[in-house]
Amino acid sequence: MAHYNESIRKVNGKSIRVVTLADKGKLVEQNIISKEDAEMDERASFAVKAAVEKAKVCKKPIARYDMKTHKAYMELENGARKDGN
């Protein structure tokens, strides 16, 4: 399998490969993932971005995850963070 500009992250002791939109085109070309899968991933990414923007407009808190501390937190409408317990 070819190597791309990828990011490998460790989560709960497991290695997870993070694929960027640019990488998806290469993965489709090499028949590693289907064109439909790449399109579905893109639609899902846009849906999440739209939901986050809607929450910001409606002044609702947004659940986030800090990859450095490995903890969930809430981002409040004023930009402050409230750690999850």
Side-chain angles (χ1 to χ4, degrees), residues 49-78:
K49 288 177 185 177
V52 169
E53 286 304 312
K54 182 179 179 181
K56 287 179 182 179
V57 168
C58 295
K59 299 182 179 181
K60 302 227 177 207
I62 301 167
R64 298 207 183 257
Y65 185 77
D66 188 323
M67 290 299 295
K68 291 180 184 175
T69 63
H70 301 284
K71 295 190 182 213
Y73 65 93
M74 297 295 285
E75 182 181 299
L76 305 177
E77 65 181 78
N78 63 1

Side-chain angles (χ1 to χ4, degrees), residues 1-47:
M1 187 167 168
H3 293 281
Y4 306 107
N5 293 332
E6 63 187 29
S7 172
I8 303 292
R9 294 184 181 167
K10 289 270 188 187
V11 177
N12 294 331
K14 296 180 182 176
S15 295
I16 298 174
R17 180 176 159 198
V18 179
V19 179
T20 66
L21 286 175
D23 292 336
K24 286 181 188 172
K26 294 174 187 173
L27 296 174
V28 170
E29 288 173 7
Q30 294 184 356
N31 293 322
I32 295 171
I33 65 171
S34 70
K35 182 179 176 184
E36 291 80 12
D37 286 344
E39 290 170 354
M40 181 181 64
D41 288 351
E42 189 173 357
R43 286 192 304 271
S45 294
F46 286 130

